[in-house]
């Protein structure tokens, strides 16, 4: 089998695995295992990279095995971490989504901040503290804290507010023991809605701060 054909088959396999995801996995609070999916994708992509860079059949097999192990370990860690977070967080408004590659903890604005404020409400500080405790127990990851708004009002103001809110949540995570070097704060303003801004319900979903946990690959 030629190298080009090998690469094509490997990449096709990765697409097929990704395409077979059960739609039920989109439920952010469902406990679906991502370890097997991570192992499959890790193995396929590890072999693909080796083939592209000129590795022989034995090297491709070793890379596939190594990729499968790494992908399975990351998937297993995310499964455990997500399950613990869901068990610990008492506020039903906070969602934990396991994408298979990262965790996304979403804090809706309406329960986290007062209108036009970037001070985290006292009632939510303990919840953010629980997230910090979880991150300390799982140190092998980087963390992005991303602020989002709806499209109401001035876009420049919304962007600045999203930055300040992300910074406020990141400060609480750092105070809870999360190392400064793991944290990155990002303001998106109204650029990345997850629902329609044409309805009050949609705008409420768009106003949020996300804590994105990205496992280290090394």
């Amino acid at each position: 089998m030629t190298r080009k054909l090998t690469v094509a088959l490997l990449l096709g396999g990765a697409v097929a695995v990704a395409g077979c995801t059960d739609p039920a996995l989109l439920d952010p609070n469902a406990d679906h295992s991502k370890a097997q999916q991570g192992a499959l994708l890790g193995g396929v992509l590890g072999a693909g990279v080796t083939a592209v860079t000129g590795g022989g059949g034995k090297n491709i097999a070793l890379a596939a095995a190594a990729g499968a192990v790494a992908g399975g370990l990351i998937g297993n860690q995310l499964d455990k971490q997500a399950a613990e977070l869901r068990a610990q967080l008492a506020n039903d408004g906070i969602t934990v989504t396991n994408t298979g590659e990262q965790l996304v903890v979403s804090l809706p604005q309406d329960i986290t901040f007062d209108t036009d404020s970037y001070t985290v409400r006292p009632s939510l500080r303990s919840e953010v503290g629980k997230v910090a405790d979880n991150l300390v127990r799982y140190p092998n990851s980087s963390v992005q804290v991303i602020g989002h708004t709806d499209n109401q009002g001035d876009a420049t103001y919304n962007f600045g507010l999203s930055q300040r809110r992300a910074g406020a949540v990141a400060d609480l995570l750092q105070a809870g023991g999360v190392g400064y070097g793991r944290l990155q704060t990002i303001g998106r303003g109204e650029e990345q809605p997850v629902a329609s801004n044409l309805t009050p319900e949609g705008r409420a979903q768009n106003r949020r701060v996300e804590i994105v946990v990205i496992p280290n690959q090394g």
Side-chain angles (χ1 to χ4, degrees):
M1 183 181 293
T2 67
R3 181 173 299 153
K4 288 184 179 179
L5 182 56
T6 299
V7 173
L9 289 173
L10 289 167
L11 295 179
V15 172
V17 169
C20 291
T21 301
D22 187 339
L25 295 178
L26 298 177
D27 180 354
N29 289 310
D31 288 319
H32 296 287
S33 174
K34 300 290 184 177
Q36 184 177 10
Q37 180 181 340
L40 287 170
L41 289 173
V44 170
L45 294 177
V49 169
T50 302
V52 169
T53 55
K58 182 177 180 181
N59 289 333
I60 291 174
L62 290 172
V69 170
L73 289 174
I74 289 173
N76 185 60
Q77 173 184 310
L78 289 177
D79 286 338
K80 291 174 59 179
Q81 191 171 5
E84 288 183 15
L85 276 169
R86 291 177 187 136
Q88 292 158 359
L89 296 173
N91 193 303
D92 292 338
I94 301 174
T95 61
V96 180
T97 303
N98 182 356
T99 71
E101 298 178 350
Q102 59 190 23
L103 297 183
V104 182
V105 181
S106 185
L107 310 174
Q109 173 208 291
D110 294 351
I111 64 173
T112 310
F113 304 97
D114 291 329
T115 302
D116 290 334
S117 171
Y118 58 91
T119 299
V120 177
R121 287 178 173 171
S123 60
L124 258 290
R125 288 174 177 264
S126 62
E127 298 293 81
V128 178
K130 293 174 185 175
V131 177
D133 290 341
N134 180 275
L135 293 174
V136 170
R137 288 196 302 276
Y138 291 89
N140 192 31
S141 63
S142 58
V143 183
Q144 294 181 344
V145 186
I146 308 174
H148 302 272
T149 69
D150 61 24
N151 69 346
Q152 302 298 290
D154 180 74
T156 301
Y157 176 81
N158 287 340
F159 178 75
L161 182 62
S162 71
Q163 287 182 312
R164 291 188 290 274
R165 286 177 168 169
V169 172
D171 287 345
L172 289 178
L173 292 176
Q174 187 177 358
V178 181
Y180 177 80
R182 293 177 65 188
L183 292 167
Q184 179 186 13
T185 58
I186 302 170
R188 296 294 189 200
E190 58 191 58
E191 295 176 356
Q192 294 183 343
V194 293
S196 171
N197 276 310
L198 298 177
T199 66
E201 295 78 14
R203 291 192 292 272
Q205 292 181 56
N206 293 333
R207 299 188 298 265
R208 68 203 188 278
V209 171
E210 294 174 333
I211 302 170
V212 182
V213 183
I214 305 167
N216 296 332
Q217 299 296 318

